[in-house]
Amino acid sequence: MTSPDPSARPSRPETQWRGPSLRTVMIGVFALGGLMTWQMHRAYVHGEQVVQAVFPVMEEKGKSLDAEGCIDAVIAWHKQCDATAVMCNHGVKQAMYHCLKSQDRQAGCKQLPASESMDGKWVFLTCKERGSQCKRTKDCVCADAYRAFDSFCRTDGEAVQL
């Protein structure tokens, strides 16, 4: 038995670059994925700390504010919120609850439109009247604050629907 003639194989040009190996590419992908995961986790933890820190502040402010004052305080907090936009937007309803629960809100609840006459757009009209016109209906801090107030009133001060 003889070995095949090595000269019969096609030769590869030695000067042609073939690129990185699959192992190198996969290591790079996994390293980048790990780095992105770590960064997202850090952003999430920081955002949670920012949102959680506002609750005791709002409870204290709520002792001396009416419902409109709570809405103003939450809007002001949202403007300087240092978390991700999603976390800040979600924190509006929670911050409103902590502000509102600090005292009896029955008088303020009576000033809301009757539930039979509400069509859902009253929040946008109310925000426009107070100078906080909503540019996007899905991401409107003022509207979310009013909805939280309405939810607080409908549950007799027990909760805010998130």
Side-chain angles (χ1 to χ4, degrees):
M1 186 179 240
T2 63
S3 63
D5 183 16
S7 61
R9 278 193 262 157
S11 63
R12 291 187 215 156
E14 298 297 325
T15 59
Q16 184 179 4
W17 183 72
R18 294 182 47 202
S21 68
L22 179 60
R23 179 182 306 178
T24 305
V25 170
M26 293 306 289
I27 288 171
V29 166
F30 283 114
L32 184 61
L35 184 63
M36 290 173 62
T37 302
W38 176 73
Q39 184 59 30
M40 287 187 309
H41 176 70
R42 279 189 49 208
Y44 174 78
V45 169
H46 173 72
E48 268 302 309
Q49 291 170 344
V50 167
V51 172
Q52 292 291 325
V54 77
F55 299 158
V57 173
M58 286 297 159
E59 284 181 25
E60 190 61 35
K61 286 183 177 186
K63 292 176 183 176
S64 62
L65 295 173
D66 63 354
E68 291 289 326
C70 283
I71 291 169
D72 290 335
V74 169
I75 290 172
W77 165 76
H78 186 271
K79 285 181 182 177
Q80 55 89 32
C81 181
D82 187 31
T84 64
V86 171
M87 293 181 91
C88 292
N89 291 344
H90 186 69
V92 167
K93 295 173 186 175
Q94 295 170 322
M96 276 298 294
Y97 172 74
H98 286 278
C99 188
L100 293 170
K101 76 175 188 173
S102 298
Q103 61 174 289
D104 181 28
R105 303 289 177 184
Q106 288 182 2
C109 290
K110 289 177 183 173
Q111 294 176 352
L112 288 174
S115 58
E116 304 83 41
S117 66
M118 285 192 216
D119 63 353
K121 298 185 189 224
W122 69 273
V123 292
F124 302 114
L125 297 173
T126 305
C127 289
K128 186 176 182 178
E129 288 171 5
R130 72 188 322 261
S132 298
Q133 186 170 357
C134 302
K135 294 180 177 93
R136 297 180 61 202
T137 57
K138 298 280 184 191
D139 296 326
C140 183
V141 179
C142 177
D144 286 344
Y146 273 104
R147 284 190 197 108
F149 180 40
D150 179 55
S151 177
F152 183 84
C153 293
R154 287 176 189 255
T155 61
D156 295 324
E158 294 295 320
V160 168
Q161 184 179 5
L162 300 175

